[in-house]
Amino acid sequence: TVKSIHLNASMKHWDEFMEFIDNLSEIEAFSSVKSYRFKLAAEELLSNIVRSSESAFQSTNLMATLRIDSEVLNLSGKHILQVVLIDDAPQFDPKFDQLQPPEHIDDPVALRPIGGLGLYLVKDSVDSIVYKYSDSRNIYTLQMELDDPLG
C-alpha cells in the first residue's frame, strides 16, 4: 500500500511532513536503531528540500511542491521501506554517489566548520539513496531494509 503526502515545500507544513515521517519510522518491522537512522535521514533531506525551496522562491509568490510517497517492497525476498521525495524546486543534485565523510567528522563539534555533514548523514543512515532529475523535478529515493518480516 502506497502512503503519500503532497503539500507546498514550506516550513508552514513542517509538522505535517514530520508526522508523516514519524509514522513511517514507527513501522513494527524496524528496530529502534533503524527507525532512528531512517528518521534522521528523512528529516535532514526534508529540511534541505524545504530550505532550498523557500530560498529559491523568496522573491516571488510561487512555492515549490513536495510529495512524499512510501511503500514496502518485496525485493529478492527482503522487505524494503522505500520513500520517494519529489519536489519541483530548482534542480539540486547532492551527488550522493560521490559523498565522502567530511574531513573533520571526528573533530569536537566546536572545532568543526558549519555545513557539509547533513547530506553525508543522509547517505550514511539509509541502505540506499538515489537522486535523479526528471520532468523538472528532483526525485530522491531512500530505501531501508526492514529487520523483521511483515506478517
Side-chain angles (χ1 to χ4, degrees), residues 4 11 20-22 30 35 54 59 67 69 74 93 110-111 118 121 123-124 128 151:
S4 297
M11 288 304 291
F20 185 82
I21 296 300
D22 285 345
F30 261 161
S35 175
E54 287 187 335
S59 63
R67 186 176 90 218
D69 297 329
N74 186 344
D93 182 353
L111 299 178
L121 285 174
K123 175 186 174 184
D124 192 54
S128 169

Side-chain angles (χ1 to χ4, degrees), residues 120-135:
Y120 174 75
L121 285 174
V122 171
K123 175 186 174 184
D124 192 54
S125 294
V126 295
D127 295 327
S128 169
I129 184 157
V130 175
Y131 169 83
K132 73 176 182 176
Y133 189 74
S134 178
D135 296 326

